[in-house]
């Protein structure tokens, strides 16, 4: 019971502190604003908590509360400066089929939340890494035992600080928070797809995501893959959503979310695709200044943890992993030598697990050429750029990591973000083809 | 010309669905092995003829729709049954290959949809049919797996609605978690706990980060060759090995005698222990679970 109450209090707290920054977007649905507030609150709230720790404040409920206050103040100042007025996009009357889909979504989320809250945290990585760090933070109010090993520093702190917040509030199981942030993400998927299509398509997109076994299963365990997926994809969806007037606001919100994805997992480089999307949009609008603030935001959010991590790892006595010069002749020769294995790895862990989604992507190629819709073009670009990054990454990884072939499952999990990206792009493209010449609503 | 085209299209569609069905009741690659051309050649050919054939044929569309919906339903039911029983259950009982059946669902859905969108230009017709049928492919698998996952997750909750977090850990970690609780009871917070090497059969109790999670703030270390020098109180875990043995390494740890102040034999079922004031000997003391208080040299 304590855990449930703590999860609920943490949810309300993070949603509340994220709300002012969500007001950067003047015109969105209420449900999306709630989801966006939660994700921004969780991401920026824990980040701010960490920065306060760097400035000398121990991790306590008080410092969490202060970080919340700071975030609210920043949000209010931004909203005041931008003179934003909130306009809620009203939803139409739900027809029986749409109401049925809503009931199904609520039911599945409720069951997933019950499963997550009931089950003990038992997944190995969550025990050994994420939840351990949360308990160590709660016990010591600092990072003393975490900074003593490069293993505990291998991922940034968002998931651990999220769990720590629940434990500080008296909970013993923080797993339910993962279902809550999944719900927040579905709200964003709904809002973004609704902005580009209609109610039915938006609900179908949500259903496709909630009935994705990988996403649903991960919403009931305490791994970092789902929070990473959630922040990265929400970021991509906002980056491609800009409509003439609101373009800079969507770019800013999208870049914050993409930057926050590096606060969950910093080794993946998919955030660079976000950069390209920002510059693409700025070039398209013939206003390169549009890309300055969003790019700086991504870099800022990436850099703080990156430099902190690099400084700590440098003083640890552990032998560093020797990385090759990525574009040297030796690396190229090694890649050519591993080519058959790389192909096998790619088919086993990248292609087959997402076969259906790759077929959707194949259909997206002609659709994105034929339809004059930036969101479809943008998301198709994200999908194929991610594929290129993955192939390049696997090839380079195979040259210096001796057991690379044995950890294919983590490559599959790493690409989990393609599920919502492709399903949203697919749903939007279907609407686009069926309603040619449609206009995006905002 | 038109009706000739229809027959060509129908023939290739028939062969395609037949090939896919054959592979569903055998294995992927069956057609290639027994009928010269691999099945996917027919699949691609049928996509091309379907795109070229642009007339409305409501009879074909009706049958394809019926076939599509029934194969989707069957696939979902089979997936749920498989997850709720054991891997390969459907193949064992009905000799149906679920992976191949999924491709059958994709093909039928594609041909049903492509026959509907005959008014669209070829590129958009291909795009729409491909995206829609692939989303059906994704959703069909997702719905089956997700429903089974939710049912499986709810069963223990319905059976034991009042189970606490502790109960969950006892259930999940069998003898390991009760042993950990006894170690916490017997050792001070500043102690060093030596555990077996990480590997079979000590997959859990030899995993230092996992053991650290439960014993923190005690320090946990895999014992290598000699007892480390430290001012901290040192304890060593006695563990037979909780995982089935799959390597040449035999059960039982530690494998060498250790000078001890006392040793404890754990009864993890009743959460009790028996104390012996003697050194540890692998000949007599390799119990399922226990603890050694190491004597500092």
């Amino acid at each position: 019971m304590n855990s449930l109450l703590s999860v609920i209090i943490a949810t309300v707290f993070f949603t509340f502190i994220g709300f002012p920054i969500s007001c950067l977007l003047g015109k969105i649905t209420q449900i999306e604003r709630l989801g966006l507030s939660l994700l921004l609150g969780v991401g920026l709230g824990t980040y701010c908590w960490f920065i306060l720790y760097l400035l000398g404040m121990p991790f306590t409920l008080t410092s969490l509360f202060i970080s919340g206050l700071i975030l609210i103040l920043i949000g209010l100042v931004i909203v005041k400066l931008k003179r934003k007025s909130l306009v809620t996009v009203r939803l139409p009357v739900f027809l029986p089929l749409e109401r049925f889909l809503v009931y199904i979504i609520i039911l599945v989320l409720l069951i997933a939340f019950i499963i997550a809250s009931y089950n003990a945290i038992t997944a190995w990585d969550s025990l050994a890494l994420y939840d351990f760090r949360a308990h160590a933070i709660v016990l010591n109010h600092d990072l003393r035992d975490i900074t003593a090993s490069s293993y505990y520093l291998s991922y940034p702190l968002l998931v651990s600080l999220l769990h720590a917040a629940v434990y500080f509030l008296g909970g013993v199981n923080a797993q339910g928070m993962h279902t809550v942030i999944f719900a927040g993400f579905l709200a964003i998927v709904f809002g973004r797809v609704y902005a580009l299509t209609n109610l039915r398509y938006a609900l179908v997109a949500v259903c496709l995501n909630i009935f994705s076994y990988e996403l649903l299963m991960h919403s009931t365990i305490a791994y970092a893959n789902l929070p990473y997926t959630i922040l990265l994809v929400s970021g991509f969806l906002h980056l491609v959503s800009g409509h003439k007037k609101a373009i800079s606001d969507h770019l800013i919100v999208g870049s914050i979310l993409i930057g926050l994805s590096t606060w969950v997992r910093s080794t993946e480089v998919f955030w660079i695709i976000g950069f390209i999307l920002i510059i693409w949009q700025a070039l398209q609008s013939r206003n390169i200044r549009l890309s300055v603030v969003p790019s700086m935001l991504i870099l800022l959010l990436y850099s703080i943890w990156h430099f902190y991590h690099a400084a700590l790892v440098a003083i640890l006595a552990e032998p560093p992993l020797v990385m090759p010069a990525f574009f040297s002749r030796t690396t190229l020769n090694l890649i050519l030598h591993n080519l058959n294995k790389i192909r096998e790895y790619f088919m086993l862990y990248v292609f087959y697990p997402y076969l259906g989604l790759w077929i959707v992507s194949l259909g997206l190629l002609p659709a994105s050429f034929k339809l004059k819709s930036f969101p479809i073009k943008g998301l198709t670009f994200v999908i194929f750029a991610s594929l290129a990054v993955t192939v390049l990454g696997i090839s380079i990884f195979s040259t210096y990591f001796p057991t690379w072939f044995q950890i294919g499952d983590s490559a599959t999990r790493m690409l989990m973000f393609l599920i919502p990206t492709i399903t949203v792009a697919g749903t939007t493209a279907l609407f686009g083809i069926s309603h040619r010449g449609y206009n995006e609503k905002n | 010309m038109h009706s000739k085209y229809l027959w060509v299209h129908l023939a290739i569609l028939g062969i395609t669905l037949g090939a896919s069905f054959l592979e569903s009741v055998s294995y992927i690659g069956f057609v290639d092995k027994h009928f010269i051309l691999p099945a996917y050649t027919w699949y691609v050919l049928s996509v091309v003829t379907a795109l070229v054939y642009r007339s409305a044929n409501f009879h074909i569309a009706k049958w394809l729709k019926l076939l599509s919906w029934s194969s989707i339903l069957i696939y979902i039911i089979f997936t749920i049954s498989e997850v709720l029983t054991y891997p390969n259950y459907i193949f064992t009982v009905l000799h149906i290959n679920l992976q191949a059946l999924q491709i059958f669902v994709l093909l039928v859905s594609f041909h049903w949809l492509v026959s509907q969108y005959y008014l669209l230009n070829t590129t958009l017709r291909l795009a729409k049919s491909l995206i829609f049928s692939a989303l059906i492919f994704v959703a069909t698998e997702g719905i089956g797996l997700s429903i089974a996952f939710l049912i499986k997750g709810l069963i223990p909750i319905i059976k034991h609605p009042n189970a606490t977090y502790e109960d969950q850990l006892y259930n999940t970690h069998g003898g390991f978690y009760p042993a950990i609780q006894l170690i916490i009871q017997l050792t001070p917070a500043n102690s060093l706990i030596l555990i077996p090497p990480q590997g079979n059969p000590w997959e859990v109790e030899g995993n230092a980060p996992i053991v650290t999670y439960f014993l923190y703030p005690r320090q946990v270390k895999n014992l290598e060759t000699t007892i480390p020098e430290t001012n901290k109180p040192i304890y060593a875990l006695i563990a037979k090995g909780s995982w089935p043995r799959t390597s040449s390494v035999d059960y039982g740890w530690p494998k060498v005698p250790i000078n001890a102040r006392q040793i404890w034999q754990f009864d993890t079922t009743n959460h009790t222990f028996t104390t012996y004031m003697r050194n540890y000997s692998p000949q007599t003391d390799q119990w399922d679970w226990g603890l050694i208080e190491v004597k500092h040299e």
Side-chain angles (χ1 to χ4, degrees):
Chain A
M1 201 59 199
N2 270 352
S3 291
L4 270 186
L5 198 63
S6 308
V7 168
I8 291 168
I9 294 171
T11 305
V12 173
F13 172 76
F14 285 120
T15 310
F16 186 70
I17 65 172
F19 183 79
I21 296 188
S22 81
C23 295
L24 261 173
L25 299 178
K27 198 181 167 192
I28 53 175
T29 58
Q30 247 165 359
I31 184 89
E32 185 182 6
R33 190 174 301 288
L34 274 178
L36 187 61
S37 303
L38 174 69
L39 295 193
L40 288 171
V42 166
L44 292 172
T46 51
Y47 214 139
C48 203
W49 201 15
F50 169 65
I51 292 170
L52 285 184
Y53 166 74
L54 293 182
L55 295 174
M57 283 188 104
F59 288 111
T60 56
L61 267 186
T62 314
S63 60
L64 177 62
F65 185 69
I66 293 170
S67 61
L69 274 182
I70 294 171
L71 214 61
I72 290 171
L73 278 176
I74 294 173
L76 289 177
V77 169
I78 294 172
V79 171
K80 188 92 180 157
L81 284 177
K82 295 208 102 185
R83 290 181 192 158
K84 279 280 162 195
S85 55
L86 295 190
V87 181
T88 299
V89 175
R90 295 223 169 271
L91 295 174
V93 178
F94 284 55
L95 297 173
L97 174 68
E98 291 150 3
R99 229 176 291 150
F100 172 74
L101 291 178
V102 172
Y103 293 145
I104 292 283
I105 292 164
I106 293 172
L107 182 71
V108 173
L109 275 178
L110 198 68
I111 297 175
F113 181 71
I114 291 169
I115 292 172
S117 307
Y118 176 86
N119 287 344
I121 296 178
T122 51
W124 282 40
D125 278 358
S126 16
L127 281 183
L129 187 64
Y130 310 116
D131 205 50
F132 167 73
R133 297 191 307 192
H135 283 294
I137 288 167
V138 172
L139 200 69
N140 301 325
H141 303 282
D142 59 28
L143 300 175
R144 80 181 75 147
D145 287 325
I146 294 164
T147 52
S149 153
S150 63
Y151 173 70
Y152 292 128
L153 286 171
S154 52
Y155 290 103
L157 296 173
L158 185 143
V159 174
S160 299
L161 287 177
L162 183 62
H163 286 207
V166 174
Y167 299 146
F168 271 126
L169 288 165
V172 288
N173 185 359
Q175 219 158 216
M177 274 315 290
H178 290 254
T179 319
V180 172
I181 56 169
F182 182 49
F185 171 65
L186 293 177
I188 292 181
V189 167
F190 172 80
R192 289 303 84 213
V193 180
Y194 179 68
L196 301 167
T197 64
N198 64 19
L199 184 63
R200 188 164 292 182
Y201 277 80
L203 289 170
V204 167
V206 173
C207 283
L208 281 170
N209 280 287
I210 206 170
F211 281 112
S212 154
Y213 168 70
E214 285 80 7
L215 298 180
L216 185 66
M217 189 270 286
H218 273 261
S219 77
T220 64
I221 61 169
Y223 267 30
N225 301 86
L226 185 67
Y228 174 73
T229 295
I230 283 172
L231 290 165
L232 187 73
V233 177
S234 304
F236 285 146
L237 293 183
H238 277 284
L239 287 187
V240 300
S241 283
H243 185 63
K244 283 158 195 151
K245 266 194 222 161
I247 189 164
S248 73
D249 302 332
H250 279 286
L251 287 184
I252 288 173
V253 170
S255 61
I256 293 174
L257 291 164
I258 298 239
L260 285 174
S261 74
T262 68
W263 174 229
V264 187
R265 295 171 77 92
S266 57
T267 43
E268 281 89 340
V269 290
F270 298 106
W271 56 272
I272 293 171
I273 298 167
F275 253 135
I276 304 172
L277 276 180
I278 291 167
I279 291 164
W280 181 0
Q281 295 223 61
L283 288 174
Q284 215 175 32
S285 315
R286 294 187 183 144
N287 182 3
I288 199 73
R289 276 183 304 172
L290 266 182
S291 64
V292 176
V293 176
S295 307
M296 299 286 277
L297 278 170
I298 295 184
L299 275 183
L300 181 75
L301 289 167
Y302 172 75
S303 308
I304 297 174
W305 170 260
H306 177 77
F307 288 121
Y308 174 77
H309 175 258
L312 282 173
V313 169
I315 53 172
L316 286 174
E318 296 167 27
L321 192 63
V322 181
M323 307 268 262
F326 288 152
F327 300 105
S328 68
R329 184 182 278 267
T330 326
T331 309
L332 193 68
N333 284 339
L334 279 170
I335 290 174
L336 288 174
H337 178 259
N338 292 342
L339 212 53
N340 275 339
K341 272 279 187 201
I342 292 171
R343 193 177 54 85
E344 194 186 333
Y345 184 96
F346 176 81
M347 296 306 276
L348 270 178
Y349 302 113
V350 178
F351 186 69
Y352 287 128
Y354 299 116
L355 178 63
L357 293 170
W358 290 123
I359 300 172
V360 177
S361 311
L362 214 61
L364 281 170
L365 275 178
S368 65
F369 281 112
K370 279 276 178 185
L371 298 173
K372 286 175 186 157
S373 157
F374 181 75
I376 297 169
K377 285 184 204 297
L379 289 176
T380 309
F381 168 74
V382 169
I383 294 159
F384 286 96
S386 305
L387 178 65
V389 168
T390 306
V391 173
L392 192 69
I394 292 170
S395 307
I396 294 173
F397 191 54
S398 76
T399 63
Y400 71 95
F401 203 80
T403 55
W404 68 281
F405 202 81
Q406 292 160 24
I407 50 171
D409 284 352
S410 49
T412 309
R413 284 205 307 269
M414 179 185 78
L415 289 175
M416 215 164 75
F417 75 90
L418 287 175
I419 302 170
T421 311
I422 297 175
T423 48
V424 166
T427 320
T428 314
L430 275 186
F431 180 86
I433 298 170
S434 308
H435 304 76
R436 288 195 73 187
Y438 77 104
N439 292 315
E440 289 118 41
K441 291 190 206 82
N442 60 359
Chain B
M1 173 68 189
H2 182 257
S3 79
K4 219 192 296 177
Y5 228 8
L6 171 67
W7 286 112
V8 171
H9 169 55
L10 278 182
I12 292 176
L13 180 63
I15 294 172
T16 298
L17 296 183
S20 177
F21 183 76
L22 260 182
E23 296 211 334
S24 301
V25 292
S26 56
Y27 54 88
I28 293 174
F30 178 86
V31 173
D32 187 20
K33 195 173 174 189
H34 295 92
F35 299 95
I36 311 166
L37 280 177
Y40 60 78
T41 317
W42 292 107
Y43 302 165
V44 174
L45 206 60
S46 72
V47 170
V48 174
T49 55
L51 286 170
V52 172
Y53 180 71
R54 300 187 62 89
S55 303
N57 192 317
F58 298 109
H59 281 299
I60 300 174
K62 199 172 81 183
W63 280 106
L64 285 171
K65 184 180 177 181
L66 190 71
L67 196 57
S68 179
W69 278 108
S70 30
S71 59
I72 288 169
L73 201 66
I74 289 170
Y75 182 82
I76 292 176
I77 293 169
F78 283 176
T79 308
I80 296 174
S81 318
E82 175 122 338
V83 178
L84 293 179
T85 50
Y86 55 85
N88 241 6
Y89 168 77
I90 294 298
F91 192 75
T92 312
V93 177
L94 300 169
H95 214 77
I96 289 175
N97 181 329
L98 277 185
Q99 259 182 311
L101 182 64
Q102 204 184 4
I103 294 171
F104 181 78
V105 171
L106 174 75
L107 283 168
V108 176
S109 312
F110 176 84
H111 283 287
W112 163 44
L113 294 166
V114 89
S115 68
Q116 301 262 299
Y117 308 138
Y118 57 90
L119 289 176
L120 280 173
N121 79 45
T122 309
T123 314
L124 286 177
R125 193 172 170 221
L126 171 69
K128 190 171 182 181
S129 313
L130 209 55
I131 294 171
F132 203 164
S133 55
L135 284 177
I136 290 174
F137 175 95
V138 170
T140 311
E141 186 187 31
I143 290 172
L145 290 175
S146 301
I147 291 176
F149 171 74
L150 294 174
I151 294 172
K152 246 183 157 174
L154 277 178
I155 290 170
I157 301 174
I158 293 164
K159 274 187 185 164
H160 311 284
N162 297 321
T164 62
Y165 196 76
E166 286 279 303
D167 298 337
Q168 297 281 338
L169 288 170
Y170 275 103
N171 285 339
T172 314
H173 292 294
F176 171 72
Y177 188 69
I180 289 286
Q181 292 305 303
L182 290 170
I183 296 171
I184 291 171
Q185 190 184 325
L186 291 167
T187 60
N190 67 338
S191 53
L192 168 65
I193 315 286
L194 302 171
I195 58 169
Q198 184 168 6
N200 186 264
W202 305 287
E203 309 272 1
V204 183
E205 54 275 36
N207 185 322
I210 294 277
V211 181
T212 304
Y213 175 80
F214 290 107
L215 290 179
Y216 189 75
R218 291 157 191 82
Q219 196 192 340
V220 174
K221 208 171 174 184
N222 295 103
L223 177 60
E224 284 152 12
T225 44
T226 52
I227 305 281
E229 292 204 1
T230 174
N231 295 328
K232 292 178 174 182
I234 305 177
Y235 296 82
L237 180 71
I238 297 171
K240 181 188 167 198
S242 61
W243 278 47
R245 197 182 135 208
T246 54
S247 66
S248 58
V249 180
D250 208 353
Y251 284 120
W253 194 84
K255 297 209 180 286
V256 291
I258 292 176
N259 286 338
R261 288 182 202 285
Q262 53 189 327
I263 54 176
W264 294 279
Q265 181 179 14
F266 293 165
D267 175 354
T268 51
T269 317
N270 298 309
H271 311 296
T272 57
F273 55 82
T274 314
T275 311
Y276 300 95
M277 306 299 284
R278 62 165 194 250
N279 289 333
Y280 167 81
S281 162
Q283 270 77 45
T284 52
D285 307 328
Q286 280 196 349
W287 305 308
D288 283 356
W289 297 101
L291 190 69
I292 305 162
E293 186 181 357
V294 178
K295 198 188 280 178
H296 279 271
E297 294 302 325

